[in-house]
């Protein structure tokens, strides 16, 4: 297997919009969790299936490890070293893109960043989210905009030459002019990659409750769409290629996420982590203690597995691949799904092309500019 996701479900504080599988005030479980994670990785290494035949595009990807969360940078350097050593039998570390997510508020020590880089982590993905301090406070973030900027500079000084920054648009109180100022600023930071997400109000989050109670207001859909268009324009002008619906890069597309968008197989370890080894998808137990207990008693910590059909594989290959600006190549689809695009979706694709929602030609299917704005309408045709 070529790709591995590792979930670190700890945060100093829960952000008000977050519905990821992550927990605050559980620092006392980190050591036991790391031990369980290393055991699960050893179990995976003992049983990992051989990689399936891959298309040329999937084969061209580097192996990847993605430390996601939660906040992986709440682990000590010694703990991250243990986790990577446990992952080494699965993924060749020296060749791999090894990403760690980082909350800027947890990487304020320069030695920590230098240590992380020395351990082989070669891509850092920082959740900056906003450059407006009152908004950061409203979101429950533990850092200021200035601290985030400093962490970006420190990461560069520590030797990271592959940096991603996450931002959210459509935030409470945000307007187009404010977002354009943010884009103008970050366009000069010269990082390799941006992930820009529109705010999703998840039920069960404090922010959702504040908005539905009318205590906080967020921009409407038209205003949020204008912010997305501004991002395309501004980052394009700053030299970034818009290679996936929410992602821009100057030169270094994220290899791990490309594996997802190519609907490749990947292993996953940690509480609540999702893995995909066709014809099966699995999700691990969500709770930290449940996860630790399962692994400690020698059981797989899997909460649920889903059997995938050949039709599921085709549909997911389309829905994930159409997120890419390059779209889905006929050769990749045939290699991954064992059927031709025309055989699987000929009539659907002809109809979508007639509606100018996709472009189908040169052996590829991609969203048209109109299809990009109406992506959900296109994706629904493959469900
Ligand atoms: S730091 Fe990230 S994972 Fe943690 S609560 Fe905030 S948004 Fe969620």
């Amino acid at each position: 297997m070529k790709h591995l996701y590792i979930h670190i479900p700890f945060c100093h504080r829960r952000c008000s919009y977050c519905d990821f599988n992550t927990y605050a005030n559980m620092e006392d479980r980190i050591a036991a969790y790391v031990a369980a994670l290393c055991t699960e990785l050893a179990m995976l290494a003992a049983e990992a299936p051989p990689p399936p035949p891959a298309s040329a595009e999937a084969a061209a990807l580097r192996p990847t490890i993605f430390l996601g969360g939660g906040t992986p940078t709440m682990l000590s350097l010694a703990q991250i070293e243990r986790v990577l050593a446990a992952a080494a039998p699965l993924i060749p570390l020296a060749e791999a893109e090894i990403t760690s997510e980082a909350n800027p508020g947890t990487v304020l020590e320069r030695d920590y960043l230098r240590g992380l880089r020395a351990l082989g982590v070669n891509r850092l993905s920082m959740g900056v989210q906003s450059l407006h301090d009152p908004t950061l406070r409203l979101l429950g973030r533990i850092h200021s905009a200035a601290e985030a900027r400093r962490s970006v500079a420190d990461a560069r000084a520590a030797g990271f030459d592959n940096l991603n920054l996450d931002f959210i648009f459509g935030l409470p109180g945000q307007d187009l002019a404010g977002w354009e100022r943010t884009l103008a600023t970050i366009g000069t930071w010269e990082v390799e990659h941006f992930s820009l997400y529109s705010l999703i109000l998840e039920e069960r989050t404090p922010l959702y409750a504040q908005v539905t109670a009318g205590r906080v207001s967020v921009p409407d859909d038209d205003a949020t769409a204008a912010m997305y268009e501004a991002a395309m324009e501004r980052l394009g002008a700053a030299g970034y290629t818009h290679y996936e619906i929410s992602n821009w890069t100057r030169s270094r597309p994220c290899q791990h996420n490309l594996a997802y968008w190519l609907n490749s197989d990947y292993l996953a370890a940690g509480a609540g982590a999702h893995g995909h080894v066709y014809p099966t998808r699995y999700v691990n137990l969500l709770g930290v203690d449940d996860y630790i207990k399962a692994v400690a008693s020698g059981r797989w910590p899997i909460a649920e597995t889903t059997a995938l059909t050949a039709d599921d594989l085709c549909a997911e290959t389309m829905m994930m691949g159409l997120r890419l600006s390059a779209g889905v190549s006929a050769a990749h689809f045939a290699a991954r799904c064992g059927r031709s695009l025309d055989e699987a979706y000929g009539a659907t694709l002809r109809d979508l092309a007639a509606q100018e929602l996709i472009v189908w030609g040169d052996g590829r299917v991609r969203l048209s500019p109109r299809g990009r704005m109406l992506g959900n309408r296109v994706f629904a045709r493959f469900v």
Side-chain angles (χ1 to χ4, degrees):
M1 197 63 53
K2 220 170 131 184
H3 306 288
L4 171 65
Y5 174 80
I6 298 175
H7 193 68
I8 309 295
F10 304 101
C11 287
H12 284 293
R13 188 162 78 199
R14 294 271 300 169
C15 301
S16 66
Y17 58 92
C18 180
D19 83 333
F20 298 143
N21 186 45
T22 184
Y23 306 89
N25 305 315
M26 289 188 87
E27 284 84 344
D28 60 338
R29 310 290 211 295
I30 292 179
Y33 183 81
V34 167
L37 200 47
C38 292
T39 304
E40 191 195 2
L41 288 167
M43 290 162 74
L44 284 170
E47 300 224 350
S55 67
E57 286 160 84
L61 296 178
R62 288 169 66 189
T64 63
I65 297 175
F66 196 101
L67 298 166
T71 307
T73 43
M74 279 179 68
L75 267 52
S76 68
L77 292 173
Q79 287 167 331
I80 290 181
E81 186 173 22
R82 277 188 68 194
V83 171
L84 291 180
L90 286 159
I91 305 288
L93 299 186
E95 297 164 36
E97 173 192 85
I98 305 178
T99 301
S100 177
E101 291 186 333
N103 183 316
T106 60
V107 288
L108 296 171
E109 298 292 332
R110 289 179 186 161
D111 285 350
Y112 185 89
L113 283 168
R114 274 194 287 270
L116 205 56
R117 183 70 196 87
L119 289 177
V121 175
N122 50 30
R123 184 172 185 273
L124 204 62
S125 177
M126 284 202 248
V128 178
Q129 317 308 6
S130 167
L131 297 184
H132 188 238
D133 284 339
T135 303
L136 288 169
R137 283 193 290 276
L138 177 80
L139 297 177
R141 302 291 301 177
I142 60 168
H143 56 86
S144 65
E147 285 169 333
R149 180 71 188 103
R150 200 187 99 193
S151 295
V152 172
D154 287 351
R156 195 61 100 199
F160 284 97
D161 62 1
N162 196 357
L163 294 174
N164 170 62
L165 305 182
D166 286 351
F167 281 84
I168 304 174
F169 58 94
L171 287 168
Q174 192 177 42
D175 61 15
L176 182 59
W179 174 238
E180 286 190 320
R181 278 195 298 279
T182 297
L183 291 167
T185 303
I186 64 178
T188 65
W189 286 7
E190 302 194 332
V191 296
E192 284 65 37
H193 195 283
F194 288 108
S195 298
L196 309 182
Y197 301 105
S198 73
L199 176 69
I200 296 178
L201 285 172
E202 303 283 2
E203 283 184 46
R204 295 176 316 179
T205 61
L207 187 60
Y208 178 88
Q210 286 171 308
V211 171
T212 49
R215 290 197 299 278
V216 166
S217 69
V218 291
D220 63 20
D221 288 350
D222 286 347
T224 305
M227 290 180 198
Y228 184 59
E229 282 179 13
M232 290 194 275
E233 209 173 290
R234 293 282 184 145
L235 291 186
Y240 288 85
T241 302
H242 188 192
Y243 76 105
E244 193 270 347
I245 287 177
S246 304
N247 288 276
W248 283 256
T249 185
R250 285 200 304 179
S251 51
R252 312 281 289 268
C254 176
Q255 300 287 291
H256 187 81
N257 288 344
L258 278 170
Y260 295 156
W261 297 318
L262 291 174
N263 201 24
S264 300
D265 285 352
Y266 53 91
L267 294 171
H274 293 245
H276 182 280
V277 184
Y278 182 75
T280 302
R281 187 178 13 247
Y282 65 91
V283 56
N284 276 353
L285 295 162
L286 295 178
V288 169
D289 290 334
D290 291 343
Y291 171 81
I292 293 172
K293 215 182 326 166
V295 176
S297 61
R299 285 181 286 126
W300 284 101
I302 293 176
E304 199 181 319
T305 58
T306 308
L308 300 169
T309 64
D311 285 348
D312 293 332
L313 184 70
C314 291
E316 288 171 8
T317 300
M318 291 308 291
M319 287 191 290
M320 297 305 285
L322 283 174
R323 296 186 60 89
L324 291 166
S325 303
V328 180
S329 79
H332 169 68
F333 186 89
R336 181 58 170 140
C337 304
R339 292 189 217 170
S340 76
L341 256 179
D342 203 12
E343 190 188 333
Y345 292 120
T348 303
L349 294 176
R350 275 186 283 279
D351 185 40
L352 290 169
Q355 295 179 55
E356 298 185 351
L357 290 167
I358 61 161
V359 178
W360 189 13
D362 301 334
R364 307 191 80 90
V365 179
R366 51 173 76 81
L367 292 178
S368 66
R370 181 172 130 81
R372 236 178 216 201
M373 302 307 288
L374 299 170
N376 287 341
R377 221 162 106 184
V378 178
F379 300 145
R381 297 292 300 276
F382 300 100
V383 175

